[in-house]
Amino acid sequence: MSAKQQLESLIHDFQKKRPLRAGSLIITIYGDIIHPRGGNVWLGSLMKLLTPMGVSERLVRTSVYRLVQEGWLQTEKVGRCSYYSVTGAGLRRFQQAFEHVYTLGTDDWNGSWCLVFLNQLEPETRAKVREELKWLSFGNMASGVMEHPRFTRHELVPLLQEWGALEDTIVMQTQPLEQRSPKALRRQVKESWNLDELGFRYKRFLEKFRPLWRELSTNDNLSPENCVTARILLIHEYRKVLLRDPLLPDELLPGDWEGRSAKQLCRNLYRAIYSRSDAYLASALENASGPLPGPAAGFYRRFGGLTDDNPTDTKIAEAKESA
């Protein structure tokens, strides 16, 4: 099979999902493509990006409308054209998750935990905050108590304020422990997060995208537009798994943790196709002023640094060894 055939298989798998969550895919597009280029785009440009994945214009319109109603996007009308950008609240909700997508490693863990006590909240608000925290990969430590090893109280306070829950939520930051008791912590981690399910999701991601990676070194026939589609699906599927991952320190993870290989594969594939995809995006996307500007400088720091050249077959083969 060729790389293009592998991409067609990925598109087919995406189209089989029910319900087809176009709204989540649009958030991926904003995080990966639109936000680094100023953050505002014409609705027609979104349709152009989603059409190769079998997402109808009607579904794009419906999904964008829902994202506006849910506070993710805001709209601006210029004549008969609609332009959409991420709201400040929407940006705060997904920014940290996208930062984790493009970061190769994680900072050393100092042994501290962020604990959130929800018992004082009204039932409806408690359910809402719990869902928001789960979206941020918090685990359930006990009834009404959620935990995270990397989130800090400083990061969480503005979010709680935005959710209208700050005054009735107790947030604590534990002191780092010299004796971390890995055995006890591993037991607690297994109770707080379903690592077996998370590992399975990483394994499924690897099974989906490794065939495309192999074909890039032997039969790479992807056009620039194909590379955009592959890039969107790659980041979308990886992001969905990563959202559930609290990025636990290595000492609390199984030795054969699939998340490490998934990160390497995502990085390698992204580096192999981003340059060609950007060539297409430069001509395909518009805002009210015309073509979208090029990506900000921070874009090129993704995955430890992006180069302007497409990888040669040799570089791909070398990187494949690490995936």
Side-chain angles (χ1 to χ4, degrees), residues 7 20 77 117 123 129 177 209 226 257 288:
L7 174 59
L20 194 62
K77 293 280 287 187
F117 296 80
V129 173
L177 297 176
F209 286 92
N226 293 154
W257 183 239

Side-chain angles (χ1 to χ4, degrees), residues 44-118:
S45 292
L46 286 177
M47 293 175 176
K48 190 179 295 186
L49 293 178
L50 289 162
T51 295
M53 289 173 238
V55 181
S56 68
E57 292 188 0
R58 180 179 180 181
L59 182 54
V60 175
R61 291 182 186 277
T62 302
S63 300
V64 167
Y65 174 78
R66 287 176 180 165
L67 290 171
V68 171
Q69 297 301 112
E70 293 168 3
W72 285 93
L73 299 180
Q74 56 194 0
T75 181
E76 176 189 1
K77 293 280 287 187
V78 179
R80 298 179 61 184
C81 296
S82 297
Y83 301 87
Y84 293 87
S85 58
V86 180
T87 63
L91 183 59
R92 286 190 292 275
R93 291 175 73 185
F94 76 64
Q95 193 165 29
Q96 186 182 52
F98 275 99
E99 287 174 359
H100 287 320
V101 168
Y102 307 115
T103 302
L104 285 183
T106 53
D107 296 334
D108 289 338
W109 181 55
N110 66 2
S112 176
W113 293 84
C114 181
L115 304 181
V116 188
F117 296 80
L118 307 176

Side-chain angles (χ1 to χ4, degrees), residues 238-296:
Y238 184 65
R239 181 179 72 90
K240 286 197 302 180
V241 185
L242 197 66
L243 279 174
R244 301 170 180 267
D245 191 344
L247 302 176
L248 294 164
D250 282 346
E251 64 204 76
L252 301 182
L253 289 170
D256 59 350
W257 183 239
E258 298 281 19
R260 302 182 187 99
S261 296
K263 170 67 74 172
Q264 288 292 102
L265 178 62
C266 185
R267 178 201 68 171
N268 294 340
L269 263 172
Y270 197 88
R271 284 178 167 179
I273 62 178
Y274 91 90
S275 184
R276 276 176 288 171
S277 67
D278 265 14
Y280 176 80
L281 295 171
S283 62
L285 303 183
E286 301 178 28
N287 59 23
S289 302
L292 256 61

Side-chain angles (χ1 to χ4, degrees), residues 66-267:
R66 287 176 180 165
L67 290 171
V68 171
Q69 297 301 112
E70 293 168 3
W72 285 93
L73 299 180
Q74 56 194 0
T75 181
E76 176 189 1
K77 293 280 287 187
V78 179
R80 298 179 61 184
C81 296
S82 297
Y83 301 87
Y84 293 87
S85 58
V86 180
T87 63
L91 183 59
R92 286 190 292 275
R93 291 175 73 185
F94 76 64
Q95 193 165 29
Q96 186 182 52
F98 275 99
E99 287 174 359
H100 287 320
V101 168
Y102 307 115
T103 302
L104 285 183
T106 53
D107 296 334
D108 289 338
W109 181 55
N110 66 2
S112 176
W113 293 84
C114 181
L115 304 181
V116 188
F117 296 80
L118 307 176
N119 292 325
Q120 303 305 313
L121 292 169
E122 295 296 326
E124 184 176 342
T125 305
R126 186 189 310 146
K128 172 189 172 183
V129 173
R130 183 184 289 114
E131 285 304 307
E132 292 286 358
L133 291 175
K134 285 173 63 178
W135 199 86
L136 293 171
S137 71
F138 273 74
N140 291 300
M141 185 177 188
S143 178
V145 184
M146 302 189 75
E147 63 179 336
H148 202 288
R150 298 193 182 277
F151 237 91
T152 66
R153 186 181 186 281
H154 175 74
E155 293 172 317
L156 194 57
V157 163
L159 295 176
L160 289 169
Q161 188 170 22
E162 186 176 298
W163 304 332
L166 179 60
E167 292 186 2
D168 296 314
T169 305
I170 301 171
V171 183
M172 295 184 180
Q173 195 78 37
T174 69
Q175 290 293 324
L177 297 176
E178 293 183 10
Q179 297 293 331
R180 298 185 188 175
S181 305
K183 183 178 179 180
L185 285 175
R186 285 196 190 99
R187 192 179 301 127
Q188 178 61 50
V189 161
K190 288 194 70 172
E191 294 176 1
S192 299
W193 290 275
N194 190 338
L195 292 186
D196 290 338
E197 180 186 357
L198 184 58
F200 173 75
R201 288 176 179 272
Y202 275 127
K203 183 178 180 181
R204 192 165 56 183
F205 171 84
L206 290 165
E207 290 171 348
K208 276 186 175 184
F209 286 92
R210 270 178 172 155
L212 174 60
W213 175 240
R214 286 194 293 267
E215 293 303 330
L216 286 178
S217 64
T218 58
N219 194 359
D220 182 358
N221 58 348
L222 296 183
S223 68
E225 184 176 8
N226 293 154
C227 287
V228 172
T229 303
R231 172 175 157 183
I232 292 171
L233 287 174
L234 172 71
I235 296 300
H236 183 63
E237 295 299 327
Y238 184 65
R239 181 179 72 90
K240 286 197 302 180
V241 185
L242 197 66
L243 279 174
R244 301 170 180 267
D245 191 344
L247 302 176
L248 294 164
D250 282 346
E251 64 204 76
L252 301 182
L253 289 170
D256 59 350
W257 183 239
E258 298 281 19
R260 302 182 187 99
S261 296
K263 170 67 74 172
Q264 288 292 102
L265 178 62
C266 185
R267 178 201 68 171

